[in-house]
Amino acid sequence: MRHEPRRENRGILDPGRLRQQVRFRRRMAAPALRRWVEHYWLIDWDLTEPFEQRVVPHPTVNVVFQAQEGAPEQGEIAGVDTGLFAVTLHGVGRVSGVQFRPGGFRPFWRRPVAELTGRRVPIPGGPICPGTDDERCARLDELLTSWPPVADPLAAEATALVEEIRADRTVLRVTDFARRRGVSVRRLQRLFLDHVGVGPKWVIRRYRLQEAIEQAAAGPLDWSRVAADLGYADQAHLVREFTAVAGVSPAAYARSLAALRP
């Protein structure tokens, strides 16, 4: 079990610009919650002009509380977003979010997580996350502690399987992964839809695509080699999927970042 947040930028398009425009940080949940919660994420901004941030989402559920331009704080449960997530921030505001581990929200939700995929469900009630970082995290701890999860051994299994896919770039096909784990493809599909919200093929493709995005940020690449390494049929397949999700081609994304470097 980790004791500090990941420092990677996986999924964040142009993370350098994000950190120039807003204060972004991650904090760990209380130890008793870490089996389910990846981290808390806090953002504050004071902008003179609107700023759009785009993210290629992880296979995770988030609980988010946002206040912007003096409006009352609004809370929502955000299911797995299968496309590109884009948000425009303006004026003064803050966000306090909980990113659950894949499979980690199922014990709280107590129903198939696929019900939430592509959806945002409002959370009724007043503001819970004003104050300092410590106060905001303490309120999130209190919220989750008061929303006790039910025992679910399959949640831990789903979390472990997704973490293996995330960490092992040689995982490229569901059939091979199921054979390696000694389970049927059908059982993997049921487990993932119920506990993660999307199927195992989507999870594999999403993590390999996020790796392609990270590699694109590093500079000019041999995209045919990258496509082969990440399990795409060919370079054109990678370019189509990258463009469909990120909104630009890999080469165009790399050029846009290079243009911003000093």
Side-chain angles (χ1 to χ4, degrees), residues 53-240:
Q53 178 60 45
R54 298 175 298 150
V55 176
V56 177
H58 290 257
T60 57
V61 174
N62 285 261
V63 169
V64 182
F65 297 90
Q66 176 170 316
Q68 185 164 243
E69 281 288 82
E73 185 177 81
Q74 302 292 321
E76 65 180 10
I77 300 168
V80 177
D81 194 330
T82 58
L84 178 69
F85 173 75
V87 62
T88 299
L89 308 177
H90 51 82
V92 178
R94 68 174 187 273
V95 175
S96 304
V98 182
Q99 181 174 312
F100 286 84
R101 303 180 74 189
F105 191 64
R106 178 64 166 81
F108 294 84
W109 182 244
R110 308 182 186 187
R111 299 197 300 275
V113 178
E115 295 178 2
L116 291 168
T117 299
R119 295 178 56 210
R120 293 176 173 269
V121 179
I123 298 174
I128 74 160
C129 288
T132 65
D133 286 4
D134 286 344
E135 290 169 335
R136 289 157 74 174
C137 291
R139 295 298 300 274
L140 292 172
D141 284 340
E142 291 171 8
L143 171 68
L144 297 182
T145 302
S146 68
W147 188 6
V150 298
D152 186 349
L154 293 179
E157 180 184 359
T159 297
L161 290 171
V162 175
E163 181 58 33
E164 184 174 349
I165 292 170
R166 174 179 182 149
D168 186 351
R169 63 180 298 171
T170 68
V171 178
L172 302 176
R173 292 173 177 81
V174 177
T175 52
D176 295 340
F177 185 60
R179 188 179 306 113
R180 177 196 299 187
R181 303 305 305 171
V183 299
S184 69
V185 170
R186 184 174 179 80
R187 183 179 182 278
L188 271 185
Q189 291 170 335
R190 289 198 305 265
L191 178 69
F192 275 55
L193 288 173
D194 191 26
H195 287 74
V196 182
V198 287
K201 180 179 180 180
W202 189 94
V203 172
I204 292 170
R205 293 263 53 86
R206 176 49 52 95
Y207 279 136
R208 301 297 82 89
L209 178 63
Q210 288 184 346
E211 290 180 34
I213 291 169
E214 285 191 309
Q215 292 187 42
L221 292 170
D222 179 349
W223 289 107
S224 61
R225 179 188 58 77
V226 173
D229 288 347
L230 297 180
Y232 290 91
D234 51 29
Q235 179 178 341
H237 182 199
L238 168 60
V239 170
R240 284 196 304 271

Side-chain angles (χ1 to χ4, degrees), residues 12-33:
I12 301 174
L13 295 179
D14 197 352
R17 183 166 176 261
L18 170 69
R19 287 176 168 80
Q20 290 175 354
Q21 297 289 329
V22 306
R23 291 182 59 231
F24 173 78
R25 54 263 189 227
R26 298 183 177 114
R27 297 280 295 268
M28 294 300 289
L33 296 167

